[in-house]
Short mmCIF file of all heavy atoms in Angstrom, two decimals:
data_model
loop_
_atom_site.label_atom_id
_atom_site.label_comp_id
_atom_site.label_asym_id
_atom_site.label_seq_id
_atom_site.Cartn_x
_atom_site.Cartn_y
_atom_site.Cartn_z
N GLU D 398 -26.61 7.57 15.14
CA GLU D 398 -27.34 6.73 16.08
C GLU D 398 -26.45 5.84 16.94
O GLU D 398 -26.81 5.52 18.07
CB GLU D 398 -28.34 5.84 15.31
CG GLU D 398 -29.46 6.60 14.63
CD GLU D 398 -30.47 5.66 13.99
OE1 GLU D 398 -30.32 4.42 14.15
OE2 GLU D 398 -31.40 6.14 13.33
N CYS D 399 -25.31 5.43 16.37
CA CYS D 399 -24.48 4.42 17.05
C CYS D 399 -23.07 4.89 17.38
O CYS D 399 -22.33 4.17 18.08
CB CYS D 399 -24.39 3.16 16.18
SG CYS D 399 -25.98 2.53 15.63
N GLN D 400 -22.66 6.04 16.87
CA GLN D 400 -21.29 6.53 17.03
C GLN D 400 -20.26 5.51 16.54
O GLN D 400 -19.24 5.24 17.18
CB GLN D 400 -21.00 6.91 18.49
CG GLN D 400 -21.69 8.18 18.96
CD GLN D 400 -23.17 7.93 19.24
OE1 GLN D 400 -23.52 7.05 20.01
NE2 GLN D 400 -24.03 8.72 18.61
N VAL D 401 -20.56 4.92 15.39
CA VAL D 401 -19.64 4.01 14.72
C VAL D 401 -19.40 4.54 13.30
O VAL D 401 -20.36 4.86 12.59
CB VAL D 401 -20.20 2.57 14.64
CG1 VAL D 401 -19.26 1.68 13.82
CG2 VAL D 401 -20.38 2.00 16.03
N ALA D 402 -18.13 4.65 12.92
CA ALA D 402 -17.78 5.18 11.59
C ALA D 402 -17.29 4.06 10.70
O ALA D 402 -16.38 3.31 11.08
CB ALA D 402 -16.71 6.26 11.71
N VAL D 403 -17.92 3.92 9.53
CA VAL D 403 -17.49 2.95 8.52
C VAL D 403 -17.31 3.69 7.20
O VAL D 403 -17.73 4.84 7.05
CB VAL D 403 -18.51 1.79 8.38
CG1 VAL D 403 -18.71 1.09 9.71
CG2 VAL D 403 -19.84 2.29 7.82
N ALA D 404 -16.70 3.03 6.23
CA ALA D 404 -16.36 3.70 4.96
C ALA D 404 -17.32 3.31 3.85
O ALA D 404 -17.55 2.12 3.63
CB ALA D 404 -14.93 3.34 4.55
N PRO D 405 -17.88 4.30 3.13
CA PRO D 405 -18.68 3.98 1.95
C PRO D 405 -17.76 3.45 0.87
O PRO D 405 -16.62 3.89 0.73
CB PRO D 405 -19.28 5.33 1.56
CG PRO D 405 -18.31 6.33 2.07
CD PRO D 405 -17.73 5.74 3.33
N MET D 406 -18.24 2.50 0.09
CA MET D 406 -17.39 1.88 -0.93
C MET D 406 -17.28 2.70 -2.21
O MET D 406 -16.58 2.30 -3.14
CB MET D 406 -17.92 0.49 -1.26
CG MET D 406 -17.69 -0.54 -0.16
SD MET D 406 -16.16 -1.43 -0.36
CE MET D 406 -16.61 -2.55 -1.68
N ASN D 407 -17.96 3.85 -2.27
CA ASN D 407 -17.92 4.66 -3.50
C ASN D 407 -16.50 4.94 -3.96
O ASN D 407 -16.20 4.94 -5.15
CB ASN D 407 -18.66 5.98 -3.30
CG ASN D 407 -20.13 5.80 -3.02
OD1 ASN D 407 -20.65 4.70 -3.20
ND2 ASN D 407 -20.80 6.83 -2.56
N MET D 408 -15.61 5.24 -2.98
CA MET D 408 -14.26 5.64 -3.36
C MET D 408 -13.40 4.47 -3.85
O MET D 408 -12.28 4.67 -4.30
CB MET D 408 -13.56 6.36 -2.21
CG MET D 408 -13.36 5.53 -0.96
SD MET D 408 -14.82 5.47 0.09
CE MET D 408 -15.08 7.20 0.43
N PHE D 409 -13.95 3.27 -3.82
CA PHE D 409 -13.22 2.12 -4.34
C PHE D 409 -13.67 1.76 -5.77
O PHE D 409 -13.26 0.74 -6.30
CB PHE D 409 -13.40 0.92 -3.41
CG PHE D 409 -12.84 1.15 -2.04
CD1 PHE D 409 -13.66 1.62 -1.02
CD2 PHE D 409 -11.50 0.95 -1.77
CE1 PHE D 409 -13.15 1.87 0.25
CE2 PHE D 409 -10.98 1.19 -0.51
CZ PHE D 409 -11.81 1.65 0.51
N TYR D 410 -14.49 2.62 -6.33
CA TYR D 410 -14.96 2.43 -7.70
C TYR D 410 -14.46 3.57 -8.59
O TYR D 410 -14.38 4.72 -8.15
CB TYR D 410 -16.49 2.37 -7.75
CG TYR D 410 -17.05 1.08 -7.22
CD1 TYR D 410 -17.36 0.93 -5.87
CD2 TYR D 410 -17.25 -0.01 -8.06
CE1 TYR D 410 -17.85 -0.27 -5.37
CE2 TYR D 410 -17.75 -1.22 -7.57
CZ TYR D 410 -18.04 -1.33 -6.23
OH TYR D 410 -18.53 -2.52 -5.75
N GLY D 411 -14.17 3.25 -9.84
CA GLY D 411 -13.75 4.26 -10.79
C GLY D 411 -14.91 4.97 -11.45
O GLY D 411 -14.75 5.99 -12.09
N ARG D 412 -16.11 4.40 -11.27
CA ARG D 412 -17.31 5.00 -11.84
C ARG D 412 -17.98 5.91 -10.81
O ARG D 412 -17.91 5.65 -9.61
CB ARG D 412 -18.29 3.91 -12.27
CG ARG D 412 -17.85 3.07 -13.45
CD ARG D 412 -18.73 1.84 -13.60
NE ARG D 412 -18.48 0.86 -12.55
CZ ARG D 412 -19.41 0.03 -12.06
NH1 ARG D 412 -20.64 0.09 -12.51
NH2 ARG D 412 -19.09 -0.85 -11.14
N PRO D 413 -18.67 6.96 -11.26
CA PRO D 413 -19.42 7.82 -10.32
C PRO D 413 -20.60 7.06 -9.74
O PRO D 413 -21.06 6.07 -10.32
CB PRO D 413 -19.88 8.99 -11.20
CG PRO D 413 -19.87 8.46 -12.59
CD PRO D 413 -18.76 7.46 -12.64
#
Side-chain angles (χ1 to χ4, degrees):
E398 294 185 3
C399 308
Q400 288 77 55
V401 175
V403 302
M406 288 268 284
N407 296 348
M408 62 278 301
F409 298 94
Y410 286 89
R412 292 168 288 149

